[in-house]
Each structure stands twice: as structure tokens, then as C-alpha cells.
Amino acid sequence: MPASLTEVLDNLYASTYQHMRPDVIDNIFNATPFWYYMKEKNKLKPVSGGRQILDTLEYAENDSVSFIGRGGTVPLNDREFLTNSVWTWHYLVASIVRFGVDDQQNRGKTAILNLAKAKISNAQNSIISTLESTLCAGAGSNGGAFDGLQHLVQTDPTVSSTVGNIPQNTETWWRNKTDTMSGSSFATNGTAKMRTMVNNCMNNRAMDRPDLILTTQTVFEFCEDNILDKFQIHDKKLADLGFENIKFKNIPLIWSPSVSAQKMYFLNTRFITFVYDPAVFFDMTDWKAIPDQVNDRAAQIITACGFTTNRRRVHGVIHTIDTA
């Protein structure tokens, strides 16, 4: 028995998406400077399954390290120094809807392929927009999204709040750095504040040095127009992809429309991870009939993911920046 038109088109869409999927994933993570930077730094981490995402981190030093003299003894304390931050899986979904009327009217192979590619491209662009808008959101805002930078790197990290299931108000080692420009001119004092924030985050340790600064378009343009003499021109790899950037103390400075309230984030991407399950990574589901809609069908592109950090003290934020 020959396959029905619905079955033929289901298979055509599925095979078209599988062919396009590698490019779709590349396009998603190449579309905006932050996600491109994360991809280039190999900070897209596969984690297979599990009820939660566990990230091991150090919270104490080895107190048995000491100098000794002749005949001296050393302590042999087996001190607990590791713990886990715990993160929730989140599911990013984009629906693709087919109307039976469109299927019937685009039965030619070229027409239906063009329609399939257009729908997949539209879903891809919507995923790009959602990832970017969620980047600097709060804790699980936007309908169950992952925790954004507004939660991971807080303007007041002393308030009662859990980040990665660790209470920051009692665990002082689990706080990011923060500073304010309130009552202070950014034009006069901005670069000094930025320099101090870099030094505070790294605490004179090379591995803890921020490697990316993220701010608003307004602050970015102010830096370009008014204090460019303090900055290097740009990061070549970002510039080659068309991303506007300048460098401060050899750290790329970029902007995102999702950064709110005149903030500037100082991030060490060594300790930030976009976690995904390789079994559910921008995969397309089976096509399903839409109830009470004759010959209309829907499928989803779905990703199981999380956005985590395992060393909050190396990140910082300067807030309440006034460029007026």
C-alpha cells in the first residue's frame, strides 16, 4: 500500500531537518557574540541524563600545607573541601506547525522543500532570540527557563537566595563580586572601577581573571565614544564574524540587548557552562496530529539544557551605570 501524503511529508520534513541540523546548531551558537564565545571556549558541555545537573566545586583549602623545620610534623587532617552545586534541567522547545492546506498546495518537491526549510529557519531564528533574551534574565524567569546572569551574578549577593541550591547569604565563599556607579560619573571613574573589578575577581590569580565583559548597548557605545583611548580596538575573531567589540585590559567587551539596567558583567567563562543532554540536543520530535484540526500537524525541536557556574567569586557586576 503506497504511503499517504501525510506520511511522505512527515518523512520529508524529518530528513530535511536531519540534513540541516548541524548547520542549525552552528547558526544558533554563531548568531550572537556571547554564545559564539562560549562555543569557541568549549563551554558547551554534554551531560547524559540524570534527574539534576551536578557540578563539583571546591569551597575550602587544604589546611595541612605548611613549612616545617628539622624534626617537624605535619597535620594529617582529611578535611572536606568538595561539594556539589545542583541545577535543574530546562527544556527549550520550538514548535513547527504544518497546515494540511499548505501541504496540499505545495505538493511539488521543490515547493515543499522550500516551505520545510523556511519553517526550520524560522524555528532556528526564534531559538536564537530566546537564548539571547534568557541570557541575562533572573532565576528561572521566562516560563521555566534556565537561570540567567541576573541570578548567577547578582548586584547584591548577600540577600537570602540559593544559586545552584547553595545559600549565598550564609555561604560567603559562594558570592560574586559587585560594585555600583551610583552617585559616580562613569566618564570620570568608569575605567578605574572596571580595573578594580577585574583585579577583585582574579585576586591576583591568572586562572581567575575575567575573560569577557558584557554590557548594554548604551554603555558599550559610551565606551567607544568617550573613553576609547583606554581600550584596545577589538578582538579579531569576534570582529571577523561581524560582532562589534573593544578590549579592556585585553578582555573583549561586548554588548547584548538582554543586559538590563545599565550593568556591566565581568565573566570568567572557564567557570560558566551551557550544559546539554546529547540525546536531546536540538532534536525534532515525531509529527503529531493537532486535535480538532483536520490534517494539521505539529512537531517540536527540543533541547534539554542548563546554564551553570561552579566558581561564582570569579565573576562580578558593576551596576547603576549612568552615562548621561
Side-chain angles (χ1 to χ4, degrees):
M1 181 177 179
S4 68
L5 174 63
T6 297
E7 292 172 321
V8 170
L9 294 182
D10 283 0
N11 291 333
L12 179 63
Y13 268 84
S15 61
T16 300
Y17 180 73
Q18 286 306 313
H19 178 72
M20 294 178 62
R21 179 174 173 268
D23 289 335
V24 167
I25 294 172
D26 276 347
N27 291 340
I28 287 169
F29 290 106
N30 285 342
T32 58
F34 178 84
W35 294 110
Y36 166 76
Y37 199 82
M38 290 287 286
K39 188 190 77 168
E40 286 297 294
K41 291 289 186 176
N42 294 317
K43 296 307 296 180
L44 311 182
K45 177 184 177 182
V47 173
S48 296
R51 292 179 59 86
Q52 296 169 312
I53 302 167
L54 303 181
D55 206 346
T56 302
L57 50 91
E58 296 183 21
Y59 69 93
E61 294 185 347
N62 184 335
D63 60 3
S64 67
V65 177
S66 62
F67 290 100
I68 62 170
R70 183 182 182 188
T73 62
V74 297
L76 298 176
N77 301 328
D78 186 16
R79 184 176 181 182
E80 184 66 45
F81 66 94
L82 294 176
T83 189
N84 285 318
S85 55
V86 182
W87 309 86
T88 303
W89 283 108
H90 299 272
Y91 301 90
L92 177 62
V93 178
S95 289
I96 299 177
V97 178
R98 281 171 34 213
F99 295 101
V101 170
D102 293 336
D103 286 351
Q104 182 268 322
Q105 293 179 358
N106 292 274
R107 287 184 64 179
K109 186 172 182 180
T110 300
I112 199 66
L113 274 173
N114 288 339
L115 182 60
K117 290 177 180 177
K119 286 180 178 289
I120 292 168
S121 178
N122 177 261
Q124 167 196 285
N125 292 335
S126 299
I127 291 170
I128 290 169
S129 296
T130 300
L131 275 176
E132 189 68 10
S133 64
T134 306
L135 170 60
C136 295
S141 58
N142 189 22
F146 56 69
D147 299 333
L149 290 176
Q150 189 172 312
H151 182 65
L152 301 187
V153 188
Q154 298 184 25
T155 56
D156 184 359
T158 67
V159 299
S160 180
S161 173
T162 59
V163 179
N165 206 40
I166 298 174
Q168 64 176 8
N169 57 316
T170 57
E171 304 298 335
T172 58
W173 55 271
W174 187 237
R175 295 176 184 171
N176 59 264
K177 304 299 190 298
T178 184
D179 198 1
T180 179
M181 291 295 303
S182 179
S184 181
S185 165
F186 188 74
T188 303
N189 303 309
T191 54
K193 287 273 193 178
M194 292 172 67
R195 180 186 63 226
T196 299
M197 180 58 74
V198 169
N199 291 334
N200 286 345
C201 289
M202 69 180 293
N203 196 29
N204 214 28
R205 296 182 180 184
M207 69 176 292
D208 288 352
R209 189 174 193 265
D211 65 342
L212 189 67
I213 303 173
L214 182 67
T215 191
T216 67
Q217 179 180 349
T218 300
V219 174
F220 179 87
E221 292 175 353
F222 184 87
C223 291
E224 281 189 307
D225 293 341
N226 296 279
I227 51 178
L228 191 57
D229 59 314
K230 306 292 195 305
F231 292 79
Q232 295 165 280
I233 299 302
H234 61 240
D235 178 273
K236 188 176 185 303
K237 289 190 73 173
L238 287 167
D240 285 347
L241 281 176
F243 298 132
E244 292 289 331
N245 74 95
I246 50 182
K247 295 176 79 172
F248 176 74
K249 295 178 73 68
N250 207 35
I251 304 170
L253 169 63
I254 61 176
W255 66 272
S256 168
S258 69
V259 181
S260 63
Q262 302 307 95
K263 295 177 183 176
M264 182 178 282
Y265 290 101
F266 293 72
L267 307 173
N268 186 326
T269 59
R270 183 195 296 255
F271 303 107
I272 299 176
T273 306
F274 179 82
V275 176
Y276 67 91
D277 188 330
V280 194
F281 188 48
F282 297 107
D283 290 311
M284 180 182 280
T285 66
D286 293 334
W287 286 94
K288 302 170 284 292
I290 302 175
D292 301 322
Q293 292 183 221
V294 179
N295 288 337
D296 297 342
R297 297 172 71 72
Q300 286 74 39
I301 297 173
I302 182 169
T303 295
C305 59
F307 193 50
T308 73
T309 180
N310 61 355
R311 199 175 178 93
R312 288 187 73 209
R313 64 178 178 269
V314 301
H315 312 306
V317 59
I318 299 175
H319 61 92
T320 322
I321 299 172
D322 185 1
T323 58

